[in-house]
Amino acid sequence: MISLHTSPVRRRRLGVATAAAGLLATLLMAGPAAATPDPGNRGEARTGVSAAQQAEAKAAIESGEVPGVDEIVHSSNITHLANVPKDALKGLNTDLAFQGKYAFAGNYDGFRIFDISNPSAPKTVSQVLCPGSQNDISVSGNLLFLSTDSSRSDNSCTSTTQPATEKSSWEGMKVFDISDKRNPKYVAAVETACGSHTHTLVPERKNVYVYVSSYSPSATFPDCQPPHDGISVIKVPRNAPEKAAVVNFPVLFPDGGNPGAPDNPGVSKTTGCHDITVLPSKDLAAGACMGDGLLFSIKDPENPKIIDRVQDNVNFAFWHSATFNQTTDKVVFTDELGGGGAATCNEEIGPKRGANGIYDIVGKGDHRKLVFRSYFKIDRPQADTEVCVAHNGSIIPVKGRDLMVQAWYQGGVSVWDFTDSSKPKEIGYFERGPVSTDAVTTAGPWSAYYYNGYIYSNDIAKGFDVLKLDDRRTDPAKRVRLDELNVQTQPDYFDR
């Protein structure tokens, strides 16, 4: 069921009442996946919803405050053009990357390539079975990169789960040749300490550098020992990707980073980074590193240099991702409170937790500082059975304005304006109603990105969505065209 609501209808402050040898990939065109995904740090569903919460969710639906189960609602400036459900890959859908007329969609079971030359009717080009959460994905030229952040029996795409306590277990980066989009070929694998939860490309003419973010070491894990206070840097020669190798492990937290509890209750202890965003044209990067936010120089990509570091021990539980504005005088950091498995868009949590933190960048060169300005969190009501928290998004390129589209799990897709970094505001949205009124279920958009005039969203449960945004504030972005987009490798939209 689809209904149309404009933004003011449902406003209320935060919610309802309370070719390398041995490598193998399997190409799938149809039929069921032959393996199940690893849950990683996300489960399919969470229990613990009280009878009162169930009743409140149902009452909110009946009153119209929250959409019905699976009901689609959106603001008047957004049109839902297409949805492509899951097919052969049954795992959780994850991140997105783009190149020309293609979209690349990660999934805990592997990845899927879409032809988006007609955004109203995306077509599946290929599906590759290669289990290994969370299969964070990016592309550069003829190479596709895939993160494995679960302990596997080996580095092949036919591997099985194996305890991280086993020395023979493998996790890290996989590299595919995508010169033939209908038949991607697995060509290289690089094991990295603590695996690869996410990764970020720093592309050069002859080589691609890959910053690998991972965390949560343990003395019981032979290949993930504490302290894990940095990132792995992989160098991948474009003409010989099979020679990809780790070339450095720069320490970003010589003091160990945020200690977390008991010093800072409710804050994640820093044991690595979750995600890094680079702006190569400015030799700049921002790191979201569990209990810390970083600004650093990548002038020497093998040896990143920290410029500034901030913490928020009041409202940020887990620094998850980062996004620069186009003029590089702001950074948006996200807080993934609850790890993508909890209902946090409600009155109990409030407007400052599980939100975005907007920071201005002040000063010049190595003396630049991150200065906090405000929080932004969607205030559309969400049921207490809906996982909702700030997640992956991208800039909408409009000169003179700072606009962003962002995924909020079951909070849907939000379009918002942070031109005034002290007074951010939502200007559009798209969302589905609760998957269930009986249990907290992980679903909704994992990523929502703007690419060549359209918004593309990878819904964890419902599949690949295409949205059209028509708004005088965002319409100039339709004239900006890119040949390739990995959101964590931000382009300079206006100086190319």
Side-chain angles (χ1 to χ4, degrees), residues 136-311:
D136 191 47
I137 193 167
S138 59
V139 294
S140 183
N142 288 329
L143 300 178
L144 180 147
F145 301 84
L146 205 64
S147 286
T148 298
D149 191 35
S150 60
S151 186
R152 311 296 299 181
S153 57
D154 55 50
N155 63 10
S156 75
C157 285
T158 57
S159 67
T160 57
T161 58
Q162 184 168 287
T165 53
E166 295 285 338
K167 175 62 178 173
S168 62
S169 296
W170 184 92
E171 50 188 321
M173 287 299 308
K174 296 168 181 169
V175 185
F176 290 77
D177 183 324
I178 53 168
S179 51
D180 180 357
K181 304 296 188 295
R182 296 186 177 276
N183 187 31
K185 296 180 179 179
Y186 184 10
V187 297
V190 180
E191 187 170 14
T192 54
C194 301
S196 175
H197 194 70
T198 67
H199 67 269
T200 304
L201 305 186
V202 184
E204 295 186 338
R205 181 172 296 181
K206 293 183 178 180
N207 304 297
V208 180
Y209 287 96
V210 185
Y211 289 170
V212 176
S213 296
S214 56
Y215 53 93
S216 295
S218 169
T220 65
F221 299 162
D223 298 319
C224 183
Q225 292 281 304
H228 185 68
D229 47 15
I231 58 174
S232 298
V233 179
I234 298 174
K235 184 177 181 179
V236 185
R238 291 189 184 275
N239 293 332
E242 69 278 3
K243 296 181 180 179
V246 174
V247 293
N248 196 10
F249 186 87
V251 172
L252 304 179
F253 304 99
D255 65 352
N258 197 317
D263 293 350
N264 298 317
V267 178
S268 295
K269 178 182 178 180
T270 299
T271 59
C273 290
H274 179 276
D275 210 347
I276 292 169
T277 292
V278 298
L279 193 55
S281 64
K282 301 292 193 297
D283 292 326
L284 202 62
C289 302
M290 304 182 73
D292 294 87
L294 298 180
L295 184 69
F296 54 98
S297 168
I298 59 168
K299 188 172 294 185
D300 177 355
E302 290 190 22
N303 298 283
K305 177 183 177 182
I306 302 299
I307 295 174
D308 195 25
R309 170 180 158 197
V310 290
Q311 296 178 353

Side-chain angles (χ1 to χ4, degrees), residues 12-15 312 314-316 335 337 344-358 372 374-380 389-390 408 424:
R12 180 175 151 200
R13 289 304 295 174
L14 291 174
D312 180 344
V314 176
N315 291 312
F316 259 50
D335 172 24
L337 175 68
T344 70
C345 297
N346 52 33
E347 290 180 331
E348 178 185 1
I349 300 300
K352 295 181 179 180
R353 300 178 64 217
N356 296 323
I358 304 167
F372 173 77
S374 66
Y375 298 104
F376 170 76
K377 188 173 184 179
I378 60 171
D379 60 1
R380 287 174 279 111
V389 73
W408 289 78

Side-chain angles (χ1 to χ4, degrees), residues 37-51:
D38 298 295
N41 64 344
R42 304 175 193 278
E44 292 284 359
R46 302 295 194 273
T47 56
V49 178
S50 68

Side-chain angles (χ1 to χ4, degrees), residues 397 450 452-453 474-482 496:
Y450 190 92
N452 290 353
T474 61
D475 284 346
K478 295 177 181 179
R479 297 191 292 269
V480 178
R481 312 298 292 183
L482 298 177
R496 292 179 294 114

Side-chain angles (χ1 to χ4, degrees), residues 14-144:
L14 291 174
V16 185
T18 59
L23 304 185
L24 177 66
T26 303
L27 187 68
L28 299 170
M29 294 310 296
T36 55
D38 298 295
N41 64 344
R42 304 175 193 278
E44 292 284 359
R46 302 295 194 273
T47 56
V49 178
S50 68
Q53 288 173 314
Q54 293 179 34
E56 287 171 351
K58 292 172 183 176
I61 290 173
E62 291 173 1
S63 70
E65 188 172 38
V66 168
V69 172
D70 285 339
E71 179 186 5
I72 291 176
V73 297
H74 52 83
S75 53
S76 59
N77 56 358
I78 286 181
T79 304
H80 188 203
L81 295 181
N83 171 260
V84 184
K86 293 180 185 179
D87 187 17
L89 305 177
K90 304 300 184 183
L92 280 66
N93 285 328
T94 60
D95 212 1
L96 294 168
F98 305 90
Q99 187 180 84
K101 66 176 185 178
Y102 298 102
F104 304 81
N107 178 285
Y108 270 47
D109 275 342
F111 64 93
R112 188 174 183 178
I113 302 178
F114 293 99
D115 181 336
I116 55 172
S117 53
N118 179 1
S120 297
K123 296 179 180 178
T124 299
V125 176
S126 59
Q127 300 180 71
V128 174
L129 175 66
C130 196
S133 68
Q134 57 187 4
N135 280 339
D136 191 47
I137 193 167
S138 59
V139 294
S140 183
N142 288 329
L143 300 178
L144 180 147

